Amino acid sequence: MTKTILIILCALLVLPSMAFAERVKDLASIAGVRANQLVGFGLVVGLNGTGDKTSFTGQSLRTMLRELGVTLPPGVEPGSKNVAAVSIHTDLPPFMKPGQTIDVSISSLGDAKSLRGGSLLMTPLKGADGKIYAIAQGNLVVGGFGAEAGDGSRVTVNIPSAGRIPNGATVERTVRNAFNVGDHIILNLHQPDFTTASRLADSINHTLGKGSARSIDASSIKVNAPRDPSQRVPFLSLVEN
């Protein structure tokens, strides 16, 4: 019985130190290494009469047909209930290379009742600088649906006018970041705090040697790092953990 009590007491003494152990990667992120937002405008086709009737949808359809070699007579609007104008948006993670794929979200811009069963036509996705970083296309996955009766009653579950395309965009351009710039890196705390910044710098100095890191303010810690990328990657792996 006494032996069991001693084991329990030892476990209680160890648990607090384990509970408060945090990795650097859980507390901070590397400055300049972040995701970038992309957005685009496109057309979803193949809808079962649930598309929109907005003027810009007709204009966009006319422009697309012209680019594909189909010329409509003047004054003829290509109205179709099977087409919907949509916005496409996604986040481009850091270090993504051309040829890799990312998920995209699709949202109706007009009065389309549902995007279920639709397919997004090839759409460029641009960053804040106006450059194209990815191309999106594919079949939508829509979680919501709606039903309408002849007496005007309607039932809608979730949001049928929005959906996603898993791996629906292919990256075309790499976004530069500050990972390989300079002889140091900056760690930014997720929650700025003077005590945490000081302790984090002390912990890194204890592991890597005195003078390896210093706190700049309540949010940032400057860490000396090798310039060679082949050395910087394992170095940051050590610091993160």
Side-chain angles (χ1 to χ4, degrees):
M1 184 68 178
T2 303
K3 184 178 181 181
T4 303
I5 294 175
L6 289 175
I7 293 176
I8 294 174
L9 291 174
C10 290
L12 291 175
L13 290 174
V14 173
L15 283 176
S17 62
M18 294 176 60
F20 289 98
E22 294 283 355
R23 296 178 301 176
V24 172
K25 66 189 303 181
D26 298 326
L27 298 173
S29 59
I30 302 173
V33 179
R34 63 177 182 84
N36 289 269
Q37 289 72 38
L38 305 180
V39 68
F41 171 84
L43 294 174
V44 170
V45 299
L47 303 176
N48 187 22
T50 58
D52 56 45
K53 303 175 183 178
T54 55
S55 59
F56 56 81
T57 301
Q59 294 173 6
S60 301
L61 183 56
R62 174 187 287 275
T63 302
M64 184 197 71
L65 292 175
R66 186 187 307 118
E67 293 178 352
L68 295 176
V70 180
T71 303
L72 297 177
V76 176
E77 289 297 330
S80 177
K81 295 182 179 180
N82 297 335
V83 181
V86 296
S87 66
I88 304 97
H89 56 277
T90 186
D91 289 339
L92 180 63
F95 304 113
M96 291 293 289
K97 300 298 188 295
Q100 293 183 293
T101 58
I102 53 178
D103 299 344
V104 294
S105 298
I106 315 295
S107 302
S108 173
L109 289 174
D111 54 0
K113 296 179 180 179
S114 175
L115 299 180
R116 179 176 291 274
S119 299
L120 176 69
L121 298 181
M122 184 175 63
T123 304
L125 301 181
K126 299 181 179 181
D129 56 0
K131 296 180 180 179
I132 297 175
Y133 287 90
I135 301 293
Q137 181 170 277
N139 299 325
L140 273 70
V141 177
V142 179
F145 69 91
E148 187 174 351
D151 59 357
S153 60
R154 180 185 302 175
V155 176
T156 302
V157 178
N158 295 329
I159 307 297
S161 58
R164 291 179 61 82
I165 306 179
N167 298 319
T170 303
V171 178
E172 299 292 336
R173 186 194 301 266
T174 301
V175 179
R176 295 183 178 181
N177 56 56
F179 175 71
N180 288 327
V181 178
D183 55 1
H184 65 271
I185 61 170
I186 302 295
L187 297 176
N188 291 328
L189 294 176
H190 301 319
Q191 298 293 332
D193 181 79
F194 287 108
T195 302
T196 304
S198 178
R199 289 179 177 176
L200 185 55
D202 292 341
S203 178
I204 295 175
N205 286 328
H206 178 74
T207 303
L208 302 179
K210 187 176 180 180
S212 298
R214 65 183 180 88
S215 54
I216 301 175
D217 51 35
S219 178
S220 302
I221 298 93
K222 183 177 181 179
V223 183
N224 297 329
R227 287 179 174 269
D228 188 349
S230 63
Q231 299 177 3
R232 181 165 288 203
V233 171
F235 172 81
L236 285 178
S237 176
L238 173 65
V239 172
E240 281 186 335
N241 291 282

